[in-house]
Amino acid sequence: MIINSVLGKIDTGYKYGQLGIKLLEKVNDRKYWANTSCIYHAALTFWKEPVKNSTNGFMQDYQVALDTGNIEYATTSIAICLSYQIFEGTNLNELYSKFSDSENFLNQWPKQPNTYLLKAFLQTALNLQVLTPNPEILSGKNCNEEQMIEEAMEVKDFSQMASLHLNKFMLAF
């Protein structure tokens, strides 16, 4: 990921990512699968492959993370998968119903960082479907942006803040 994003060597970063995935497959250690694979799909795959390949990978990562009790990467995988599918142009009604089921399940662990991110993307999908006077405000059935901002600032979760503002920008546009 560093080679790719900091040094700008996309081909080299992608090859190292593939090597990491192959090593995981070879040692067959599912404990760290979701951690490694989720980062691979989030930061490397989309540079060289169709976005659909990343979304399929995130769904696999989500399942492996659940199977191994890795709730942090289960929430991360599902939240990023939802965001990629929004950007991919997947039907919003289908996305909302598919991922709201995941939200209900993941609400059992409300303090996981990316649970809020999943809620923000669900609210974005909802705001894109329903005509509202202020669609860029992420407050409604799924999330309260003021609460999200407060909690993100408290723990200094700048990636959550960036995602929240990306959603708001997309909705304002």
Side-chain angles (χ1 to χ4, degrees), residues 3 78 94 98 115:
I3 291 170
I78 205 75
E94 292 172 17
K98 175 181 175 181
T115 300

Side-chain angles (χ1 to χ4, degrees), residues 10-168:
I10 294 170
D11 290 334
T12 305
Y14 178 72
K15 287 177 185 174
Y16 275 114
Q18 287 182 312
L19 177 63
I21 296 299
K22 287 178 185 171
L23 286 172
L24 271 177
E25 290 170 349
K26 193 169 218 152
V27 297
N28 196 23
D29 185 0
R30 293 173 51 93
K31 182 177 180 182
Y32 298 106
W33 177 269
N35 305 46
T36 305
S37 183
C38 181
I39 292 168
Y40 170 72
H41 289 110
L44 301 172
T45 306
F46 69 88
W47 289 101
K48 302 292 286 180
E49 299 178 27
V51 172
K52 187 74 174 162
N53 293 1
S54 289
T55 56
N56 291 339
F58 286 127
M59 293 307 293
Q60 178 187 7
D61 300 341
Y62 171 68
Q63 192 57 56
V64 170
L66 288 180
D67 293 347
T68 58
N70 187 342
I71 302 305
E72 178 182 1
Y73 273 90
T75 57
T76 301
S77 297
I78 205 75
I80 298 173
C81 185
L82 173 57
S83 72
Y84 274 39
Q85 288 187 345
I86 288 172
F87 290 118
E88 192 178 75
T90 304
N91 181 289
L92 294 170
N93 287 328
E94 292 172 17
L95 279 180
Y96 189 82
S97 63
K98 175 181 175 181
F99 286 96
S100 61
D101 291 342
S102 300
E103 179 198 21
N104 293 334
F105 175 72
L106 293 172
N107 276 336
Q108 296 174 50
W109 299 278
K111 292 297 181 185
Q112 287 299 319
N114 290 313
T115 300
Y116 291 117
L117 194 56
L118 175 63
K119 291 173 184 259
F121 283 117
L122 280 169
Q123 190 63 48
T124 298
L126 196 59
N127 285 14
L128 286 168
Q129 296 177 73
V130 179
L131 185 61
T132 62
N134 298 310
E136 73 281 0
I137 297 175
L138 288 170
S139 291
K141 180 179 178 182
N142 297 96
C143 79
N144 178 329
E145 78 176 50
E146 290 176 13
Q147 180 184 359
M148 284 182 66
I149 290 169
E150 184 180 306
E151 291 184 20
M153 292 304 287
E154 185 178 306
V155 295
K156 295 182 178 17
D157 188 344
F158 300 114
S159 63
Q160 184 172 310
M161 289 294 294
S163 295
L164 179 69
H165 288 292
L166 175 66
N167 282 326
K168 290 173 67 58

